[in-house]
Amino acid sequence: MSDKIKTICCIGAGYVGGPTMAVIAYKCKHLKVIVVDLNKKRIDSWNDKDLTKLPVYEPGLEDLIKKCRNKNLFFSTEVAQSISESDMIFISVNTPTKESGLGAGEASDLKYVESSARTIAEFATGHTIVVEKSTIPVKTAEVIETILNSSQKNIENKEKKSFTVLSSPEFLAEGTAINDLLNPSRVLIGGESPNAINELVEIYKNWVEERKIITTNTWSSELSKLTANAFLAQRISSINSISALCEKTGADISEVAVAVGMDYRIGQHFLKSGPGFGGSCFKKDILNLVYICKLYGLDEVANYWNQVLRINSWQQNRLTNIIVKKLFGTVSNKKIGILGFSFKANTNDTRESPAIKICSDLLIEGASLSIYDPKVQAKDIHKNLKDFISTKNDLIDLEKNVFLTSSYKDLSEGADAILILTEWEEFKRIEWIDISKKMRKPAWIFDCRDILNFNDFEESDLNIWKLGLGSKI
Ligand code: NAD
Ligand code: UGA
């Protein structure tokens, strides 16, 4: 065990910073771990006595926070003070797609990374290891290093400071973050300084087998993260493209996925067809990869990866069109129930959720929606729909047309259709006979997550449409 690192600070108390630092604090009781953020509301929620108010919902997170908070894990807005007392600093800030200027719509906006580097440069003391946790374009470590090293030049006769930058991208998935962090498939550490790499390896060795800790050069580490996300997203677009062909031919996508995935060279994971991938990262990371490829003149490579995104939007549009067509070509003044709004099960995160686009398009078509999600707050659903619809310059009265319910049972009254958009466990156990009694006939269930079984509907008078299989009337 290294005795050099005593205090770690993480800049960014989001979906990555919070859970990652909770696990480090839990597994490394000898370390003091401070998570800082400029967003006071977020820090207050991390410090809330009521653990159901944590800003991030992840199975297992509450328990870790209960065990470590205010013992060796602290959440604070005291950025400068926390940086100055830390030996190692993780940068876990958001890296969204640039909205304007050079590279708008594709390149990563590194303003938060850059401002973190500048704050570290100003307040760090002695030697500090700076770890990139955020997902960033390849070569970002060079930018961080330049900012950090130029800070030393301003120092006159003050205490000398020095920095080493490492890349250690995070591979956790939301909904399984704590398990992914406790049992990672691998930990990747890229850098040029064996001593600094070793300090970070020593931290992970507290719970991760050494053979799973990979060390590489900085650029391989940075690029591996973008590549891993691009490969995962590519599999989803691949299976979704075949789901459409299944619906035309009588093949069943779930049977095809099993048959294909049993080839060990292909593997069975990430072959679940659905309403397209959501989440804060796949889209932005592929856009970023596309941008980098273009920057280096690799247009064919850029086009190849862009196609993964095109299939994803196509899948979402395709679903809306099928729903409208099945409901006699119009959903105007029809009641549609929506089951699930988060981008996947077991998270309260709605960023880039397919539900946002599908619900907005149905509202624009004139439908009235009742939405239920077990973890997403009503205000988040409203905000997402309002923001999306305003980009289309449409004026929909959300107060009149969107109803949020506190149980799935409440959205069936008079409904013409129910859509399953997130694969929450409770939706797999719904008693459809009871639901059917309350719906207006002919009534449709659209299973956009392929979680229902046609056999469970034999006794009911509901029409079912399943993604990657088609309809049963
Ligand atoms: P997030 O938006 O949930 O959290 C980022 C936080 O950083 C925010 O709370 C913001 O206020 C804070 N912040 C920004 N600038 C700051 C500054 N200068 N000082 C202090 N705080 C600052 O983002 P996230 O989902 O946690 O993602 C963070 C990074 O990790 C991104 O690069 C993302 O691509 C990557 N990543 C995310 C996931 C995921 O599952 N969400 C998984 C792996 C990697
Ligand atoms: C993804 C990666 O899985 C993580 O390894 C990575 O660290 C993270 O992005 C990141 O960089 O942010 P996440 O977006 O949290 O994690 O969740 P996933 O499980 O990958 O799901 C992403 C989307 O794909 C969801 O909308 C999900 O429903 C969809 N999906 C996933 C499918 O449609 N089919 C599948 O088989 C798997």
Side-chain angles (χ1 to χ4, degrees):
M1 192 191 297
S2 160
D3 57 0
K4 285 195 200 141
I5 305 294
K6 293 191 172 65
T7 304
I8 294 183
C9 170
C10 173
I11 306 182
Y15 284 84
V16 168
T20 306
M21 293 301 127
V23 167
I24 292 184
Y26 176 63
K27 289 292 180 182
C28 306
K29 298 276 172 7
H30 57 288
L31 294 176
K32 176 178 177 185
V33 180
I34 317 167
V35 189
V36 296
D37 205 296
L38 298 175
N39 182 339
K40 183 171 180 314
K41 223 171 123 201
R42 214 165 199 185
I43 290 297
D44 288 346
S45 306
W46 279 111
N47 282 323
D48 204 306
K49 281 204 177 76
D50 177 356
L51 291 173
T52 64
K53 300 236 171 76
L54 294 180
V56 170
Y57 170 74
E58 280 294 338
L61 179 62
E62 285 180 19
D63 188 44
L64 292 187
I65 298 293
K66 203 158 112 189
K67 287 185 173 133
C68 303
R69 195 174 60 189
N70 297 331
K71 292 184 184 122
N72 69 330
L73 174 66
F74 303 88
F75 293 92
S76 165
T77 49
E78 299 286 333
V79 180
Q81 167 60 31
S82 307
I83 286 175
S84 74
E85 67 172 287
S86 296
D87 314 296
M88 183 180 270
I89 300 171
F90 289 73
I91 300 179
S92 272
V93 297
N94 36 332
T95 48
T97 304
K98 262 185 103 172
E99 285 178 0
S100 57
L102 187 67
E106 282 183 350
S108 262
D109 192 339
L110 292 179
K111 66 181 173 204
Y112 304 110
V113 171
E114 191 181 321
S115 77
S116 304
R118 288 186 190 281
T119 318
I120 297 170
E122 191 175 351
F123 296 107
T125 51
H127 183 75
T128 309
I129 299 173
V130 176
V131 183
E132 296 172 334
K133 255 287 154 227
S134 297
T135 304
I136 31 72
V138 57
K139 289 290 190 187
T140 302
E142 211 165 67
V143 176
I144 297 177
E145 233 159 41
T146 308
I147 293 171
L148 294 175
N149 291 335
S150 59
S151 77
Q152 300 166 349
K153 293 186 187 137
N154 299 330
I155 299 169
E156 289 156 19
N157 299 328
K158 285 197 187 154
E159 187 197 352
K160 195 170 159 13
K161 40 178 135 180
S162 57
F163 301 95
T164 310
V165 179
L166 298 177
S167 155
S168 184
E170 184 49 61
F171 296 104
L172 69 81
E174 288 178 32
T176 51
I178 300 304
N179 189 43
D180 294 344
L181 288 161
L182 288 171
N183 308 293
S185 52
R186 77 291 203 199
V187 168
L188 178 55
I189 302 173
E192 311 312 318
S193 154
N195 287 344
I197 290 175
N198 194 44
E199 294 294 343
L200 189 51
V201 168
E202 284 297 320
I203 290 175
Y204 278 106
K205 265 171 57 185
N206 283 290
W207 76 99
V208 179
E209 288 171 71
E210 217 169 334
R211 68 179 177 89
K212 288 191 177 174
I213 305 176
I214 312 168
T215 56
T216 65
N217 79 37
T218 314
W219 319 131
S220 306
S221 172
E222 290 182 337
L223 188 55
S224 297
K225 172 64 194 178
L226 290 184
T227 310
N229 273 4
F231 273 48
L232 290 169
Q234 178 201 44
R235 279 173 77 92
I236 302 170
S237 281
S238 298
I239 201 74
N240 282 343
S241 70
I242 300 298
S243 72
L245 191 56
C246 285
E247 290 157 26
K248 301 278 182 205
T249 56
D252 178 340
I253 194 64
S254 47
E255 293 178 352
V256 173
V258 171
V260 170
M262 277 181 77
D263 183 330
Y264 70 90
R265 293 168 302 175
I266 297 173
Q268 61 194 327
H269 298 291
F270 256 69
L271 286 180
K272 186 83 181 146
S273 63
F277 52 77
S280 59
C281 295
F282 282 170
K283 185 173 164 195
K284 83 162 168 69
D285 292 347
I286 295 180
L287 284 171
N288 186 212
L289 187 61
V290 165
Y291 180 74
I292 296 169
C293 291
K294 285 189 198 161
L295 214 59
Y296 288 102
L298 300 169
D299 288 358
E300 289 301 322
V301 186
N303 291 342
Y304 174 77
W305 288 109
N306 209 20
Q307 197 57 26
V308 171
L309 294 176
R310 291 186 60 183
I311 288 284
N312 202 50
S313 323
W314 171 80
Q315 178 80 341
Q316 293 176 9
N317 291 335
R318 192 173 85 75
L319 288 178
T320 311
N321 291 341
I322 288 171
I323 293 157
V324 175
K325 278 190 194 146
K326 294 279 184 206
L327 297 179
F328 308 119
T330 176
V331 290
S332 184
N333 296 321
K334 288 186 178 156
K335 283 183 75 175
I336 300 183
I338 304 291
L339 291 176
F341 201 84
S342 56
F343 79 97
K344 62 186 278 196
N346 294 321
T347 174
N348 59 346
D349 195 348
T350 57
R351 292 178 290 181
E352 295 292 335
S353 176
I356 300 172
K357 181 165 167 38
I358 294 173
C359 290
S360 300
D361 286 345
L362 290 172
L363 285 166
I364 291 168
E365 290 270 354
S368 147
L369 306 181
S370 295
I371 306 177
Y372 167 67
D373 187 287
K375 289 289 171 200
V376 180
Q377 291 186 9
K379 67 173 173 42
D380 290 338
I381 295 180
H382 262 283
K383 185 177 182 323
N384 276 300
L385 294 176
K386 195 165 158 235
D387 291 351
F388 190 91
I389 287 171
S390 69
T391 64
K392 299 204 157 193
N393 284 328
D394 249 284
L395 293 169
I396 307 279
D397 187 342
L398 292 181
E399 300 299 323
K400 278 195 184 143
N401 293 297
V402 178
F403 304 92
L404 303 164
T405 68
S406 52
S407 154
Y408 68 80
K409 291 179 184 154
D410 300 336
L411 51 69
S412 50
E413 197 66 53
D416 298 280
I418 292 178
L419 274 55
I420 299 177
L421 293 183
T422 312
E423 73 285 19
W424 286 100
E425 267 312 302
E426 63 177 293
F427 302 159
K428 298 178 185 168
R429 297 189 298 268
I430 290 177
E431 295 289 345
W432 289 102
I433 302 275
D434 297 343
I435 298 290
S436 166
K437 285 180 197 149
K438 298 188 200 157
M439 294 179 76
R440 182 168 84 155
K441 306 293 161 23
W444 280 89
I445 307 299
F446 294 94
D447 176 9
C448 305
R449 285 286 183 173
D450 187 20
I451 59 171
L452 303 180
N453 192 334
F454 270 170
N455 298 336
D456 295 341
F457 289 82
E458 260 160 21
E459 305 291 311
S460 91
D461 52 359
L462 293 168
N463 301 318
I464 323 292
W465 181 88
K466 253 168 80 81
L467 178 68
L469 185 56
S471 9
K472 185 183 172 214
I473 298 185

